[in-house]
Amino acid sequence: MYEPIRTKSVHSTTAGTSDFPHRTREEELDIQLASHLAALLAVTDELRARTPSTDLDAAAERLARQVARLRGGRPPARATTTGPTRTAALHRRAHALAGRALVVAASRADTAAAILAAERMDAHAAALAADTLAATA
């Protein structure tokens, strides 16, 4: 009644026969964390260009070291200033990026990156509070 199937099914599983590389969960988290920290470094570099401070210089150096560590020693690309962006907006963006980095660092149990991200969140929250206070005065 039915003719037998003579070709391979297109719905068959490809377990073990994949021809593209797969990454482990740890590798994916490393990539995510490096990306978040690199984005935070770019915003930090913009802030350094607008309002130079030793705190931002030290933070940028620490961020660059963490990104290089996560990328197997390759140094991150450094940003230049992009245009007229308000400093408060940069601090908000940096705070959000540090928060994302903290979540990924915590999920991969990377204590050094988690501490750095938490410190940057605190620093940018304090800068935002100072900007708000200065604007209302």
Side-chain angles (χ1 to χ4, degrees), residues 70-116:
L70 291 165
R71 290 184 175 168
R74 291 179 312 184
R78 301 301 291 263
T80 58
T81 58
T82 56
T85 306
R86 291 186 21 234
T87 304
L90 289 173
H91 282 296
R92 278 193 293 279
R93 187 180 315 149
H95 186 270
L97 288 166
R100 291 183 193 124
L102 178 60
V103 169
V104 177
S107 71
R108 69 179 296 278
D110 188 335
T111 307
I115 289 170
L116 176 58

Side-chain angles (χ1 to χ4, degrees), residues 32-33 35-44 63 89-104 117-118 120-121 124:
Q32 276 187 4
L33 182 57
S35 298
H36 290 315
L37 291 176
L40 180 57
L41 175 60
V43 174
T44 301
L63 286 166
L90 289 173
H91 282 296
R92 278 193 293 279
R93 187 180 315 149
H95 186 270
L97 288 166
R100 291 183 193 124
L102 178 60
V103 169
V104 177
R120 297 316 310 149
M121 282 184 74
H124 292 294

